Amino acid sequence: MRRTFRSLGTHNFRLWFFPGLVSNVGAWMQATAVSWVVLTELTPGDAVAVGVTMALQLAPQIVLVPITGLIADRIDRRKLLIASSIALTLLTICIGLLLASGLAELWHFLLFALVFGLITAIDQPARNTIVSDLVPERDIPNAVALNLANHHAARLVGPATAGVIIATLGSGWVFVLNAVTFLPLIAGLALMRKRELVPVVRAARQRGDALAGFRYIGRRPDLGVLLGMIFLLGIIGMNFQLFAATMAVEFGAGPSEFGLLTSVMATGSLLGALLSAGRERARLRVVLIAGAAMGTLCLLAAFMPTFWTFAFVTVFIGLAGVTTFTTANGYAQVATQPALRGRVMSIHMAVLAAGTPVGAPLIGWITNEFGARWALGSAFLLSVAACVVGLGWYGLRRRRRDNEPPATRPGTTGVTEPLPRPEGTA
């Protein structure tokens, strides 16, 4: 147990973790309210408007990936997060008050979604990599896993809380209260002990800095393979709410049962994050095994005869999925040079996020043409493809090691930037 929570022994990480839990509850409240507001309050059930709203929040993270990663590497991440959190606080208060006063229109909300997406595009690379400034390098995988455990613990509370607030006070107050949840995080960041922050190595400024992350990944086959696997597996993980919704309809379940699926799956996700936190190192082989398990469990879920047996399997899908993505995140952070960590992680997150615009239409088409069970079963084929990519890397790595003279093998001093072992760290 002590090993699982070892990063909490660091003062600055505690000031990030506990206020972050409050902020994550608010984030889940808002995420729940966004679709509801567009679907029921600002339009007469227009699903296209919901899709446009989601796309406006997501698109900046993908389009601006070279710039946002460079910002996270160039600017003090603690100060950057304070600034972005203040901006998000003001933005959510404004839209919340518009909704609460009954003056909000769809164009207000679409503009809110776009600005929110722009700010979070800058915020997310810093949010994901700041843990490397708070804990020693050996504890980065543990801190990443605890960060994700924090996220899924909030997921158990946030959506249900949003439902109660919408029913009793109105949807606008969900946004206002989310703005309030940023305040403990801002205070925690401001109160961190600067002398205990891990010194950040910043690369010298040079032409083409914005694309340096892409060039670095091009020289690192292990990171390229990791991104290929994450893209394929992200189509499953980033769209599982769509799988769950279509299967809930298949079973004739209502909205309350669908909401229950979210909480049930979050239980497995939280367990997966805590188990990942207990591991000493993030290994590519764990990404490979957990990804294969996630696809296999999706295939099993497609054959479940009742809603409750399906819900039971989603617990383990959540566990396997979070193990996959937490381990991949931890590996990418530790295996990347500190001066390039923000740029590499912004690419990592953009590749993962791309699973939604690429996968959602495909899943929708399979569901419409063949049924929800076939769509869920197709997740198994995606995991097989990801495993082929991963196993191909291991095969290539083994052949290279067999052909390399001892002086140039990883871990020796014969190469400037050695290729890391698949299961190790840089």
Side-chain angles (χ1 to χ4, degrees):
M1 186 64 71
R2 181 180 298 175
R3 188 172 68 177
T4 299
F5 295 99
R6 62 185 179 275
S7 292
L8 290 175
T10 304
H11 173 79
N12 284 342
F13 185 77
R14 289 196 299 273
L15 286 176
W16 170 254
F17 182 86
F18 293 110
L21 180 60
V22 176
S23 181
N24 281 333
V25 170
W28 276 110
M29 287 165 53
Q30 178 171 301
T32 304
V34 164
S35 299
W36 180 264
V37 167
V38 176
L39 201 60
T40 66
E41 297 182 25
L42 301 180
T43 70
D46 188 349
V48 173
V50 177
V52 172
T53 304
M54 302 306 293
L56 287 173
Q57 292 183 84
L58 183 65
Q61 185 174 332
I62 299 174
V63 175
L64 300 178
V65 58
I67 300 170
T68 56
L70 181 60
I71 291 172
D73 281 333
R74 284 278 178 256
I75 299 177
D76 183 314
R77 288 188 270 259
R78 186 181 65 89
K79 293 179 180 178
L80 177 61
L81 286 170
I82 291 174
S84 63
S85 296
I86 292 172
L88 289 170
T89 300
L90 297 174
L91 181 65
T92 50
I93 283 177
C94 289
I95 195 65
L97 293 177
L98 271 175
L99 286 166
S101 63
L103 298 175
E105 298 179 16
L106 181 60
W107 74 267
H108 292 136
F109 215 75
L110 294 177
L111 181 61
F112 160 77
L114 178 60
V115 178
F116 186 87
L118 288 169
I119 298 172
T120 52
I122 297 170
D123 175 277
Q124 285 301 311
R127 188 175 292 270
N128 274 270
T129 53
I130 193 173
V131 294
S132 63
D133 302 343
L134 306 179
V135 299
E137 184 166 316
R138 67 179 180 276
D139 287 339
I140 289 176
N142 174 259
V144 168
L146 288 179
N147 238 7
L148 202 57
N150 189 319
H151 175 79
H152 288 291
R155 187 181 179 186
L156 292 171
V157 179
T161 305
V164 172
I165 295 171
I166 291 171
T168 56
L169 301 176
S171 58
W173 291 101
V174 173
F175 293 85
V176 173
L177 289 173
N178 179 39
V180 173
T181 66
F182 281 107
L183 299 181
L185 183 63
I186 294 169
L189 288 163
L191 292 171
M192 285 181 180
R193 297 170 183 165
K194 296 179 184 178
R195 67 182 182 278
E196 294 181 14
L197 293 171
V198 177
V200 179
V201 179
R202 307 202 186 274
R205 295 176 184 271
Q206 53 186 341
R207 190 174 181 179
D209 272 354
L211 300 177
F214 292 96
R215 291 196 297 270
Y216 183 76
I217 291 171
R219 299 194 305 269
R220 292 288 303 276
D222 60 321
L223 293 178
V225 165
L226 180 70
L227 290 180
M229 293 173 65
I230 286 305
F231 172 72
L232 292 166
L233 295 170
I235 294 176
I236 306 172
M238 298 297 287
N239 294 297
F240 198 82
Q241 285 295 91
L242 180 54
F243 287 124
T246 54
M247 285 296 289
V249 172
E250 176 85 6
F251 289 117
S256 58
E257 288 86 357
F258 173 57
L260 179 63
L261 277 179
T262 302
S263 296
V264 167
M265 188 174 180
T267 304
S269 300
L270 177 59
L271 178 59
L274 292 174
L275 290 174
S276 297
R279 297 189 186 95
E280 289 293 337
R281 292 192 297 170
R283 301 172 181 267
L284 272 181
R285 69 175 69 162
V286 175
V287 178
L288 183 64
I289 294 168
M294 180 169 63
T296 304
L297 286 163
C298 285
L299 181 63
L300 177 63
F303 288 96
M304 289 297 102
T306 67
F307 172 83
W308 293 109
T309 54
F310 175 76
F312 177 73
V313 176
T314 63
V315 174
F316 300 97
I317 294 174
L319 193 158
V322 167
T323 300
T324 300
F325 300 122
T326 304
T327 307
N329 188 306
Y331 180 92
Q333 291 212 42
V334 176
T336 300
Q337 290 179 358
L340 289 161
R341 193 167 280 151
R343 278 163 282 188
V344 169
M345 290 310 299
S346 68
I347 296 169
H348 179 99
M349 289 182 292
V351 168
L352 185 58
T356 297
V358 172
L362 176 63
I363 294 165
W365 177 79
I366 295 173
T367 302
N368 289 340
E369 293 295 321
F370 305 103
R373 293 181 184 273
W374 282 96
L376 189 56
S378 68
F380 175 70
L381 299 180
L382 288 167
S383 73
V384 169
C387 288
V388 169
V389 172
L391 291 172
W393 151 250
Y394 273 94
L396 176 64
R397 178 63 194 154
R398 175 167 292 181
R399 285 196 298 273
R400 285 187 178 181
R401 283 181 60 81
D402 290 343
N403 294 330
E404 283 174 356
T408 60
R409 287 181 182 169
T412 68
T413 56
V415 217
T416 337
E417 188 173 345
L419 196 61
R421 301 176 188 275
E423 73 277 15
T425 57

